[in-house]
Amino acid sequence: MNTNEYANSVYELPNLEQVVAWYHAAAGYPTKATWLAAIDAGFYATWPLLTAKAVRKHFPESDEVTKGHLRRVKSGVRSTKAQIQEHPEIQEAEKILAQLRKKHNDVYIQVREATEMAYTDQTGRFPVVGTGGYKYIMVLVELDGNYIAMEPTKSKETDELIRVYTIIMDRLRQQGIQPKHQILDNEAPEDYIKAIEERGLTWEKVPPHNHRRNIAEKGIQTAKGHIIANITGCDEHFPMREWPKLLPQIELTLNMLRASNVRPTVSAHMYVHGVHDYNKMPLAPLGCATQCFVGPNQRRSFGAHSMDSWYIGTSSEHYRCHKVIVKETRAERTTDTIVFRHKRVTNPAVSAANTVVAAASQLTDAIQGNMKNELQHANINELERLADIFQAAAKKISEEAAQGPRVNNAAPTPRVAATSSSRDNSQQAANDPRVPTLSQWMNDNDDGPPPLQQPRYLTRSQKRLQGSISADALMSMLELSRPKLDAKKLAARKFPLEFLCEFANAVMDEDTGEMLEYRHLIKRPKYRDTWSKAFGKEIGRLAQGQKGVVEGTNALFFIPRSEVPPERGRDITYTRICANYRPEKSDPNRIRITLGGNLVNYPGDVGTRTADMLTVKLLINSVISTPGSKFMSLDISNFYLMAPMTRYEYVRMNLDDFPDEIIEEYKLKDIADKNNCVIAECRRCVYGLPQAGILANKYLEKRLNEHGYYQSNYTNGLWLHKTRKISFALAVDDFGIKYEDYNDVIHLKNALTAINPETGLPMFEITEDTKGERFLGLFMDWDYEQRKVHVSIPGYVGAALIRFQHPKPTKPQNQPYPHNPKKYGEKAQYVEPEDTSLPLNKDDKKFIQEVTGTFLFYARAVDPTMLTALSSLASEQANPTERTMEKCKQFLDYAASQEEAVITYRKSDMVLAIHSDASYLSEPQARSRVGGHHFCSEDVPDPADNGALHTEYGIIKAVMSSAAEAELGGLFINAKKAVPIRRTLEELGHKQPPTPIQTDNSTACGV
């Protein structure tokens, strides 16, 4: 069987439940009652195997039906209002009337004359502007055929209404439908009415403020429900701006559900277009992810035989062809060979059992049907014996399939039998996240389809692979961050350093670049054992330990639900399991269980002071510029878990997430509730609690203060000692230490590991990196002889490009952001013209935001050349357009073309110096941009350059009236930033003379 035959013959011998689910999605997710009525009326007679009996048995209760067709419960149903007892004589009279009204084999004939009327109206604005600028939908209801026609419109202007109305009426006229009278909305424009008159139609307006008289209003309600159901059934990465291309099939499937008024025995679609032959024009779920065949003449040598695409409808102009939107080019293509990858409904899979069952069923039907009268008795006996053989064979194959292995040896599969046809198993297979990638779908025989025995999978969308960091991973990192990020800091893109480090080192699949959470990791054989052990170790670390693996911290105690105080019942929160790969840690595979802080009602302050990137860079410069100084790092193990809490918190945990050995060791099944959940009491700080950061920090601060250490009052995260020449930057539990005498380091270590008199155990457990080669994601190559340090983040860009599935360009890109070309000979240079390109959909918008956030840490750390480009992208990411996506792609080309950045700091006098600049009206909306280079150098009039401490790259909020004013504004912004830097340098022991600021504008300098 070739690919073409496979794609068009999947319904010949299918699993009936899968067929019904597939047909239901292809029909646009109608309600059960509506679909059954249409099937019973014969409107789906050409759809193979689709019967009312099959639908009643296997109707899929999908969310799309609810989202598109749910209506408010009618009032008066099962009313609790007391019934008034009527007089007995009245009750007797009503019984007599009921008997008189009872039908006695009467025949009622309804005579309906053709009205030749049409009703029109427009919908409200569609949430997404469609390709071509379409924003609304015009709906026309042709009354005789009960036909609903739809056409997208760009606006509600008169000219546009006339254009779209002409298209709809021409479509009906081509089918021989010519309404003579039209009912309009009361607000119809005069020119629109004239256009109706020119077509020879009479017209009438509905009464003011009485929309019930316009049947098109009910048509809009019906159409919107059907549109919503289809839209919600689309693939999650379907480009929603292509919604106008879905309307033809939405109109087709909608009218197949409606009976014609003048000919109730045919559907509205049949009344206008004739019979829809499914074998000639097969339908599939709209917006479904697909693999579109690429012919030999259209692909390169060794090129892929298919490309990612989305289904947008059947082609009425071709035989058994489908229309798709190609993912890479966003172009429309018609193909006769296609493989569907629906998010939930699989293409019907054919097994040996299905084949035998179908043949036996057909044979039995033939024997029991009309053919029996034409056969002799002997022949009937032989056929009945053959039917018994078929049924026995089917039963045997089904039993063998049920006893088969739970996992297919050919590829990682969901934990269901490959030939299972039960509803429960098929649903499990559709929802199980253990799925193969696209490459695992490829068969050794490139010219043939996947084997029919192979079960269908819900494969991950390829857009998902390109999206890199999921929103869930981002939220996990946010929960680990302290202090809490308020809206102002998020808008200004000011993230704490520990958040950026966790964000940069999230777990990524080496093959696909996909970000994986714990629930994904344990469902992939490649990662299951490693991360299950890591989870068990984390539970043991938080609780009372795991035998032979880890000692406990007694932060969590598992208790029955009945032991939770009644007044704290509503405070029970949930857990998030965060997986991170941290190569600088002794155990790089780290599972951290965080608690949902949004449900915790802590009455006190939760803000925590922590070091940022600028503080770390100042400390590094101080080390390299102070004779005899060196750098090392310390890490506190179980930092949060050492801080006790006086007010306990409670958390609910799902027992399904626990390894078996933990369940047995802690006897969790004995205290699990009916929902298979256990309650844990938090007696020490746990990650995710809003108060965990400040309580742990105060606990640490108290211990350090006892030994002479104190935190700076001006610089967050900078710690000094009253008498010793030691200082360090503290970001949560990581210490970056500057020291001259190693005895001072020993003093700090002794302070951290001192015995706690309350517990008899060390205050903290620490690990150290005496060479100081890695700190908070930064790799440092120290050259103490030449007094230099080289800072880099090797592999970061490469990992990010894999995450975003962005290849290296064939032609190197040396410009991170497009410039506005100069117009030589002109008196004035103007900014880039207003962007009029189409807005991006939600997924593309998220893609740009993820690129910006991912590279921001890298740019601020080691590659300032990216900052201006990222700033421009960030200014457009709230409402990005196709032009913004082009800029983003150019930035990624730049990142892929350049070598990994290394920033070098040399020995200096630690005097702050600044280069300031500004560009006048270089940004849209008459805005100017400021630039600044802050570095440490010598105390001379013209200080030599050094590695950047801070790069200013923002947009000046106020509108500047001249270039000199823009330069002056830039000087102010850079000088304002210099104030806290000077303060920190002085706290590190480097006195600051007046800070030299260099500018290239004489007017600003003079002022």
Side-chain angles (χ1 to χ4, degrees), residues 178-366:
Q178 294 184 344
K180 295 181 180 180
H181 187 69
Q182 184 166 341
I183 307 298
L184 301 169
D185 185 76
N186 188 58
E187 300 176 354
E190 292 298 328
D191 292 342
Y192 180 48
I193 294 176
K194 291 180 181 179
I196 295 174
E197 293 175 345
E198 292 175 357
R199 300 186 69 90
L201 275 72
T202 58
W203 55 272
E204 176 186 338
K205 291 185 178 181
V206 297
H209 312 295
N210 188 357
H211 296 286
R212 292 177 297 176
R213 290 280 297 274
N214 191 350
I215 296 179
E217 289 288 346
K218 179 58 179 177
I220 288 177
Q221 181 184 15
T222 303
K224 285 180 66 176
H226 198 65
I227 291 172
I228 293 171
N230 279 273
I231 291 297
T232 54
C234 290
D235 183 77
E236 61 179 343
H237 299 296
F238 176 78
M240 200 51 62
R241 63 176 178 270
E242 305 291 349
W243 64 263
K245 298 179 180 179
L246 304 180
L247 290 183
Q249 181 164 317
I250 291 177
E251 180 179 319
L252 186 155
T253 54
L254 173 62
N255 286 290
M256 287 190 65
L257 297 166
R258 298 166 61 84
S260 168
N261 285 327
V262 296
R263 296 177 58 192
T265 58
V266 301
S267 67
H269 175 81
M270 188 184 302
Y271 178 82
V272 176
H273 298 284
V275 178
H276 169 259
D277 188 350
Y278 189 91
N279 292 318
K280 180 180 178 181
M281 291 175 54
L283 302 181
L286 285 173
C288 172
T290 60
Q291 287 294 311
C292 172
F293 178 67
V294 181
N297 298 331
Q298 297 171 312
R299 63 175 183 258
R300 297 180 179 179
S301 178
F302 291 95
H305 287 209
S306 67
M307 61 176 60
D308 299 336
S309 55
W310 293 281
Y311 176 82
I312 60 172
T314 185
S315 174
S316 60
E317 302 172 352
H318 302 83
Y319 178 75
R320 288 186 181 177
C321 287
H322 303 275
K323 293 181 179 180
V324 297
I325 293 292
V326 178
K327 183 177 183 180
E328 182 177 0
T329 63
R330 294 297 196 268
E332 182 177 329
R333 174 177 291 198
T334 302
T335 178
D336 63 343
T337 305
I338 188 172
V339 177
F340 296 95
R341 299 282 189 264
H342 193 273
K343 62 180 180 180
R344 185 188 68 256
V345 184
T346 61
N347 245 336
V350 182
S351 65
N354 297 143
T355 304
V356 175
V357 171
S361 177
Q362 293 176 5
L363 181 59
T364 303
D365 291 341

Side-chain angles (χ1 to χ4, degrees), residues 486-494 877:
D486 56 26
K488 184 176 180 181
K489 289 185 177 181
L490 285 172
R493 307 197 66 76
K494 294 181 179 179
Q877 68 179 358

